[in-house]
Amino acid sequence: MSRTRARVSAPDQACVAAVDLARAAAEELARPGEPGEHLGYESEGDRIVTHYFACLDRAYRGWRWAVTVTRASRAKKVTVSEAVLLPGTGALLAPEWLPWSERLRPGDLGVGDLLPTPEDDDRLVPGFTDTADDAERQTVFEYGLGRARVLSAIGKDRAARRWHSGEHGPHTPIAHAAPAQCSTCGFYWQLAGSLRQMFGVCSNEYAPDDGKVVAADHGCGAHSEAAVLPPPVEQAIPILDDLGYDLMEEEAGSVDESASEELGHS
């Protein structure tokens, strides 16, 4: 049994020799003087050869001009088939394109911006399918209110993981230095629903996390019981005896009031 070998055609010599034709095609697309030295050629098939030229444009370092030339069967004239600028080894390339939903980062949404949510977002489920929060379900039943979609179990789990591992969780320097956890603080306001066991909102206006969702095991120096001030010392009310009195003898002064003295004026 013999192996089948793929037929490799030899480069067409007329196309190989068409270096000047290929350079002229590259110069038509580039700015004057940008196509540099000839870097070689590559056979693409029968009577098809691609010539490569260095790109001297400083904005495209590592790129190269690729000009493909060919000729018809039994024809002597070589023509240009394609000319394009291609990246080479070490070329500066743009990052791989990502859809906007994957490029979006927290804090990118500005005033007036609208962020559409996909219909198949796994963080949400239809409102009528949620049965995790009894209090909320009772409210919807009594008042006929509801939301089209609510957090799914996946959405709650992602939020819990993100909050707990973020800057308002227990693994931060301020939490490690805190005298106690948020769960024992008087300013800790628990969330409603299934997340109330893990998270709450800080309501201390002097705390760095005021108005933010914090983990129950987070903490800061503004804990309500961190340093309780001692009660102020009350001043004793002076006792005045307004019923009795003491007789005090009048002492003689140093001036004789009975003697008269000429004062030198009338």
Side-chain angles (χ1 to χ4, degrees):
M1 180 177 180
S2 59
R3 296 181 179 179
T4 303
R5 295 184 178 180
R7 177 177 174 270
V8 179
S9 58
D12 185 81
Q13 294 304 312
C15 293
V16 170
V19 176
D20 294 338
L21 176 65
R23 179 183 293 276
E27 290 176 346
E28 290 182 4
L29 297 177
R31 287 180 292 188
E34 284 185 359
E37 62 176 330
H38 184 242
L39 300 178
Y41 65 89
E42 183 178 355
S43 178
E44 305 286 354
D46 292 339
R47 298 179 301 280
I48 302 175
V49 172
T50 298
H51 291 273
Y52 296 101
F53 300 90
C55 179
L56 303 181
D57 190 341
R58 291 181 296 177
Y60 288 88
R61 293 195 178 200
W63 290 63
R64 55 184 182 171
W65 288 101
V67 181
T68 303
V69 296
T70 185
R71 67 183 181 89
S73 177
R74 298 183 181 180
K76 296 182 179 180
K77 184 177 180 181
V78 178
T79 59
V80 176
S81 175
E82 184 181 23
V84 66
L85 187 61
L86 296 178
T89 303
L92 180 62
L93 301 176
E96 184 180 357
W97 182 86
L98 294 174
W100 67 267
S101 58
E102 298 182 24
R103 297 196 306 268
L104 194 65
R105 293 292 178 267
D108 289 348
L109 196 67
V111 178
D113 295 339
L114 298 178
L115 179 61
T117 304
E119 290 290 338
D120 58 349
D121 195 325
D122 57 1
R123 299 172 300 170
L124 300 171
V125 292
F128 59 83
T129 65
D130 179 41
T131 58
D133 195 335
D134 294 336
E136 184 173 315
R137 187 171 64 253
Q138 182 67 21
T139 303
V140 171
F141 174 77
E142 291 179 357
Y143 296 98
L145 303 175
R147 292 171 288 168
R149 289 187 289 177
V150 295
L151 271 178
S152 64
I154 295 177
K156 293 178 181 178
D157 181 68
R158 289 182 182 177
R161 291 175 181 271
R162 185 172 63 253
W163 293 346
H164 198 262
S165 61
E167 59 181 1
H168 307 300
H171 309 299
T172 57
I174 192 171
H176 291 164
Q181 296 182 351
C182 289
S183 59
T184 60
C185 180
F187 298 105
Y188 179 71
W189 193 349
Q190 282 184 309
L191 293 182
S194 58
L195 295 178
R196 66 180 286 111
Q197 301 300 327
M198 294 183 59
F199 301 99
V201 178
C202 177
S203 61
N204 188 348
E205 61 181 314
Y206 300 109
D209 301 319
D210 180 40
K212 298 180 176 63
V213 175
V214 294
D217 47 356
H218 183 61
C220 73
H223 193 282
S224 62
E225 313 305 322
V228 179
L229 295 178
V233 178
E234 296 184 1
Q235 293 284 340
I237 300 176
I239 300 176
L240 300 178
D241 183 7
D242 54 358
L243 296 178
Y245 61 91
D246 296 330
L247 294 177
M248 301 182 65
E249 296 181 359
E250 183 178 359
E251 297 181 358
S254 59
V255 178
D256 186 3
E257 296 180 357
S258 60
S260 59
E261 181 182 355
E262 192 68 31
L263 299 177
H265 59 78
S266 57

